[in-house]
Structures are given as structure tokens and as C-alpha cells.
Amino acid sequence: MSGDVNGGEVSPGEAQLAISGVSKHFGGVRAVEAVTLSVRSGELISVIGPNGAGKTSLLNMISGFYRPDTGNIVFAGKDITGARPSHVAALGIARTFQNIALFAGMTVLDNIMLGRHVHMKAGVLSSFIYWGLAQKEEIAHRARAEELIELLELEDLRKQPTSGLAYGLRKRVELARALALDPKLLLLDEPMGGMNQEEKEDMARFVLDVNQQWGTTVILIEHDMAVVMDISDRVAVLDRGRKIAEGSPGEVQRHPDVIRAYLGTAKERREAAAA
Amino acid sequence: MFHRESGVFKTSYAADMALYPLPIAKWAVAAFAGLFIVIVPLTLGEYYVSILNLILIAIVGALGLNVLVGYTGQISIGHGAFMSVGAYTAANLVVRLDAPFWVTIPAGGLMAALIGAVVGIPSLRIKGIYLAIATLAAQLIIEWTINHVPAISGGVQASIQVPRPSFFGVQLKSQTQLYLFLMGFAVLAIVGTSNLVRSRIGRAFIAVRDQDIAAEIIGISTFRYKLIAFAISSFYAGVTGVLYTYYLGIANYEQFQLTVSIDYLAMIIIGGLGSILGSIFGAAFVTLLPIVTRWFLESFGGLIFSAADLANIIPNLRLILFGGLIIFFLVVEPEGLNRLWRNIRNYFRVWPFSY
Ligand SMILES: Nc1ncnc2c1ncn2[C@@H]1O[C@H](COP(=O)(O)OP(=O)(O)OP(=O)(O)O)[C@@H](O)[C@H]1O
Ligand SMILES: [Mg+2]
């Protein structure tokens, strides 16, 4: 791990997650280009940027879906560069997806119970026998699942298959499943995308609660600037794969490169709409 | 069983998670078990009990294949061969070491599990039709190996005589005795599989089947669980092979060829993928269908066909019926017989309050 942390306020020693110089290219597309970012334990940091800036690709490298072309990622002192997603999850990094990845045929409850997987121990034989060890474990973890159901106000839906739920509710179930891992670090990819104002406020409140009450570190990708500026401790801005700014919400908003990146895309959008 | 939900309230998580959450279902299961364990073997003749025995054996194999195909979403056309691995493991143990059934059955299962897990390794990289072909290759390689290695197959005919198992010193000579013996394993497989699929391991299987990316993100190694599914499923197949060997009195690789793999796939497709009850229905249906059609044609076919034609029609009709049924269930009713049963049951579920 090198010491060249942009932004300066975080020294690498106390970083829970240290991303150093990671890049990911797809053919000619530089999805992520030499990004360095440190996240302290308990922090709520937002990653923003125009469409295609590389935000999701960055999360994919942290959670193990993409192997970085260059650079490395260290979590809680362990190098997780290129580790398998299931391994990363077992270390305590949970995640939700931009386009929701629930088990559609399963109930809300089963989805959340699956989130407990890494904390449960029943093997093939004790599952086969069930009565005794496996049953005791099911009951204990069911209690934890019920806590999350209560926290996210999903009581009426626990036995519903997730496929039938409204979009906003499915996002909430996905958050519940991620929280069921009792993660140390939570990666949220546009958890409020496609929601109405009221749903957004609910979701923002859940995320803040988790961050503040449990001290869970959160990396949030979000397009809604009002929400981002409201709840983030720190904001990092990506544009065309590069990190162009990092700092407090206020600092970032005034940063000339950020203003240019956003106005630029707004202008391009107008041109595209006009064409 | 018939479920009636009206007026039942659950007060603990344990009650909510019970296998049969409604009291009436427990009684129905008990009555059903009594019927099959006591009354059936006492009243039916040896011939009919021998058919039931074939069904009991098939239930074990169908449950195992359903764990892999129905619950985990992988495919195997090699299960016939995995059964033969169990069969020859047991036969060799019996002939060489005079091993009792409580050694041969787990040993046959474990050997098949080991080989099944190895065959499952490609499932990390390949899916669907390619995995089907890889397991088909395994079927043929195992068939060939058994047939050509005398140390396994016992020589010229590639078959080994195996005496009926003994239970507390009593050899199970009659079909009725064998029935009770096989019933024990069928019940164990049914209850065990029901438990498996409702707890941690089974949920992980379903997760791998439905959404492998989401499975990984919550810490389920898809590779690991695919291999576990292959191993468990092949274990059942190995046990099925041992039971069948005891039933026949001989281990013979011709009893475990490709058509057997396909019969078992037919069972779970017709019965219902990812369903315990479906596996049971399918095992019964696929076992009975050729017997019933043969009986029907032998009884009434003479009215239409000549005796020579009939001899041609009977074996082919079986293939035609299976082919037709598999296509019907895949296209029209992918949830199989189990779905038809559920429709009937749901009608009674909240009876008398149908709305
Ligand atoms: N698997 C992939 N194969 C090819 N190109 C990819 C892949 N993943 C991402 N990209 C490309 O990398 C660039 C960054 O994509 P990414 O999804 O990370 O952006 P984003 O910031 O999450 O955008 P959005 O706000 O639209 O979600 C895009 O040009 C995208 O097309
Ligand atoms: Mg994205």
C-alpha cells in the first residue's frame, strides 16, 4: 500500500478500505483509471459522477466481480484484489445492485435468511437431520432476520415472493438481505434509483440509521445530489474513469472540475435531445 | 396432504418453520404412512409388492437427481452410471469381504459421491447443454470402464451375484420383507431431503440456481455448492444402485445404462422439478407406466394388432410415451404432476371459505 492518498485527510494506517491506483479497461473503454480512495471505518462516503463514469465498475472491483488491471484493494488489512465475490462477502463486505439482484421466486424472508448464510454453520449432514443443531440455528437466525424485517418495515411482506413486489420495496428487501450479513462495509449502488420522493427519504433514513447506530461503513453511489449532500461525510467524484475530486459535500460542490463534468454532460444531453 | 389453513395461528418461529405446519397434514401423513407400511404389504401379493419395491428404489434416485437438477439448476445425464458405481462398490464389498448392508450402502453412496463430484467440476465453467454433454461423456466412460476392468466387474459377464441383505441375522427373502427394508430408505431419503432443502444448504442450492451473481455476493461460493450438489445427488444415486443390486440379486452394468439416466430425468420432469412430492409422483409414474401399458396392450392389443406387431409395439410405445410426456410437461406444465396435485389441494386448503 502506498501513501499517495488523494484528499489528504485520511492516513492509510486507519483506513478500513484502501483502494490504490486501480484501473479497469474494457477494450478501448477506460472504465476506471488509476483511482485511489481510502475509506475510514464508520464513514459514509458517496461516489458520484455522470453516467458511465465508472462508479459501478469500481464497486465491482471491490466486491470481486471484476479483477483490476492495475492497483490493489486492501480491506481490514487483507489484500482482496481479485478475490472471489463469495470470499469478499465472507470478510464482511455486503452490497446491493443498481438493477436489483434478488432471488425472485423466494419469499422476502428466505431472501433475508440467505443473507445470514455466512454466519450459519449447518453442513450437509446436520441439515439432512435438521432436528437439533440445524433447527436451533434456523430459529436463532430467524430472530435476526425478523429484526431486519422490522427495521426496514417489511412485516406484512415476509411471506411474499419478491417477484411480485413494487420496485421500491424490492430495493428495500435487497438492503435487508445485505444487512443480514452484519457487514462491516456496505456498498450501495443507487439504492434510491427509480424511487419517488417519499421512498427516497425512507431509504436515506434507513441508510443513515445503519451507518450511525451500527457504525457500518457505507459507500453510496447516488445520482440524487440533494440526498448525497445531505447524508454524506465525504464525497468522491468520478468522471470518465478518473477521480476528479474528493472532499466534504460543500467542497465538492464548489469544485470547478465537478461543475464542468456535470454541466458538460447536461449540455451533451441537451444536444443529444435536440438531435 | 390436504392442508386447511383456516383457524391456525402460529406462535413461534419453530412452528412457522415446521415441515407440516398444519395439524391436519400431520394426521394425513401418519394415516398415509400406516396404509403403506402396514396394510399394503399385508394385503398385496408378491408380484405387486415387487413393483412397489421398484418404486421405492426409484424414489431415492429421483430425490437425489432432483437435488441437483431441480434445486441447484445443474444437469446430469450420468446418473445411471453413478448408480452403477454404487452397485459395483457394494457387490465387491459383499463378494470380497462379506460386508453387511449397513456398510455397503454408505460405501456405495460415498464412492458414487466422490466420482459425481469429480464429474461436476466442469459445472464451474459450463452450463446447460455443454454440461449435459460432459455428464453424458462420464456416463459412457464409466460404463466402458466397468465393462472392461475385470477387477471391478467380476469378469466375463461384467456381473456379480449379490445375496439378499440380512437384517439382524434374518435374510430378507420375500418381496414383503424387502419392501419394509426399502421403505426405511425411501422414508429416510424423503424426510432427509425435505430437511435439507428447507435449511441452509438447500437455500444455498436454490440461490445458485436462481441468481448466481446474487448468491456470490452474499457469500455463497457457487462452485462449492455446485460440487456439493453433485456429490449429494450422486450419493443418492449410489445408494439407489446398491438397493437395486440387492433387489435384483446381481450387479450388472446393463441395468445402469444411458436409458436409466433418461428415465430418472423423466421422473423429475414429469413429477415436478424442485419438489419432493414431485420426485415421489414421478418415480411412481415412470416405474408404473411401462408396466401398465404392457399389461394393457397384452390384454387388449390383440383386438387390433397381430401378435408379431404387438411384440414390436410394446417396447417402442414406452419410448414414445416417455418422449411425449417429457415434452408435454416441459412445455405445458413445467411444474409437473406436483402442480396438478397442488391445484387439487389448494381447492381444499381454506375450505369451507373458498374466497
Ligand atoms: N462488463 C463490461 N464490459 C464492457 N464494458 C463495460 C463493462 N462494465 C462497464 N463497462 C463500461 O465501463 C464504463 C463505466 O461503466 P459503469 O457501469 O461503471 O458506469 P457508472 O458510473 O456506474 O454509470 P451509471 O451511472 O450509468 O450506472 C461504461 O462505458 C461501460 O459501458
Ligand atoms: Mg452504475
Side-chain angles (χ1 to χ4, degrees), chain B residues 217-242:
Chain B
I217 207 65
I218 51 177
I220 295 168
S221 160
T222 47
F223 181 46
R224 195 187 142 106
Y225 277 87
K226 283 176 186 175
L227 287 194
I228 293 176
F230 263 97
I232 293 177
S233 182
S234 309
F235 185 93
Y236 282 59
V239 170
T240 307
V242 182

Side-chain angles (χ1 to χ4, degrees), chain B residues 118-169:
Chain B
V118 173
V119 173
I121 289 175
S123 68
L124 172 63
R125 296 238 172 262
I126 57 177
K127 294 179 180 169
I129 187 78
Y130 299 102
L131 184 58
I133 291 168
T135 57
L136 173 63
Q139 167 83 33
L140 300 176
I141 291 168
I142 293 169
E143 265 182 38
W144 187 91
T145 308
I146 289 177
N147 203 10
H148 287 79
V149 180
I152 304 174
S153 67
V156 202
Q157 305 279 304
S159 56
I160 304 174
Q161 304 269 352
V162 178
R164 285 275 170 79
S166 296
F167 206 77
F168 291 110

Side-chain angles (χ1 to χ4, degrees), chain A residues 26 29 31 49-58 66 98 190 223:
Chain A
F26 297 101
V29 179
N51 292 108
K55 306 180 293 295
T56 299
S57 300
L58 185 64
Y66 295 166
Q98 189 167 348
E190 303 195 19
H223 280 295

Side-chain angles (χ1 to χ4, degrees), chain A:
Chain A
M1 207 174 11
S2 63
D4 64 336
V5 180
N6 288 9
E9 351 54 333
V10 184
S11 80
E14 51 180 311
Q16 183 187 42
L17 180 76
I19 302 168
S20 321
V22 296
S23 307
K24 185 73 195 173
H25 299 171
F26 297 101
V29 179
R30 292 162 176 253
V32 177
E33 184 64 28
V35 167
T36 293
L37 184 68
S38 271
V39 184
R40 256 172 297 155
S41 186
E43 211 175 6
L44 196 164
I45 180 165
S46 288
V47 176
I48 63 170
N51 292 108
K55 306 180 293 295
T56 299
S57 300
L58 185 64
L59 284 205
N60 281 346
M61 284 190 280
I62 300 171
S63 53
F65 287 110
Y66 295 166
R67 172 183 279 278
D69 296 332
T70 67
N72 62 40
I73 302 172
V74 175
F75 174 70
K78 290 194 187 72
D79 191 336
I80 57 166
T81 319
R84 285 183 66 87
S86 54
H87 179 67
V88 173
L91 290 176
I93 301 182
R95 149 146 200 209
T96 66
F97 291 89
Q98 189 167 348
N99 40 16
I100 311 184
L102 284 171
F103 305 106
M106 289 191 216
T107 62
V108 169
L109 180 62
D110 277 341
N111 269 277
I112 299 173
M113 283 298 278
L114 266 163
R116 297 297 299 164
H117 181 86
V118 295
H119 295 293
M120 297 173 77
K121 295 195 171 55
V124 172
L125 204 60
S126 52
S127 291
F128 189 91
I129 298 167
Y130 190 75
W131 292 283
L133 209 113
Q135 186 183 31
K136 228 162 88 190
E137 193 180 57
E138 287 286 312
I139 292 170
H141 289 267
R142 171 74 183 269
R144 176 68 181 139
E146 290 290 339
E147 282 170 28
L148 293 166
I149 284 175
E150 201 175 316
L151 177 79
L152 293 176
E153 295 159 16
L154 294 164
E155 289 93 338
D156 300 338
L157 306 171
R158 59 163 80 75
K159 291 286 170 88
Q160 303 253 24
T162 55
S163 54
L165 300 181
Y167 189 80
L169 286 174
R170 280 191 284 145
K171 287 241 160 193
R172 216 189 275 180
V173 176
E174 205 191 18
L175 176 61
R177 187 184 66 191
L179 290 175
L181 269 93
D182 294 336
K184 300 188 190 82
L185 171 62
L186 182 61
L187 312 174
L188 302 173
D189 198 345
E190 303 195 19
M192 296 146 207
M195 287 186 167
N196 63 34
Q197 198 53 38
E198 194 185 334
E199 288 174 322
K200 273 186 190 173
E201 281 167 16
D202 281 344
M203 186 55 93
R205 178 166 55 82
F206 294 138
V207 173
L208 256 186
D209 279 355
V210 166
N211 175 247
Q212 291 179 346
Q213 288 177 17
W214 300 343
T216 310
T217 316
V218 177
I219 300 181
L220 172 72
I221 296 179
E222 185 48 55
H223 280 295
D224 188 316
M225 282 310 133
V227 172
V228 167
M229 297 308 160
D230 204 25
I231 69 176
S232 309
D233 296 325
R234 218 147 50 90
V235 178
V237 189
L238 296 186
D239 183 29
R240 279 168 251 179
R242 290 181 178 279
K243 188 174 83 178
I244 57 168
E246 181 185 343
S248 72
E251 286 165 0
V252 162
Q253 263 173 316
R254 290 188 299 272
H255 199 292
D257 287 346
V258 177
I259 295 166
R260 201 174 309 122
Y262 272 86
L263 287 180
T265 53
K267 185 167 160 243
E268 278 158 24
R269 256 187 242 119
R270 261 201 312 281
E271 282 166 4

Side-chain angles (χ1 to χ4, degrees), chain B residues 246-291:
Chain B
Y246 278 135
Y247 174 88
L248 292 174
I250 194 168
N252 184 345
Y253 82 99
E254 286 179 1
Q255 304 297 334
F256 303 105
Q257 284 176 320
L258 185 57
T259 50
V260 174
S261 295
I262 293 170
D263 280 354
Y264 275 83
L265 281 169
M267 287 179 201
I268 60 172
I269 290 168
I270 292 172
L273 290 170
S275 152
I276 304 290
L277 211 51
S279 313
I280 301 171
F281 286 150
F285 190 88
V286 169
T287 308
L288 289 176
L289 187 69
I291 297 171

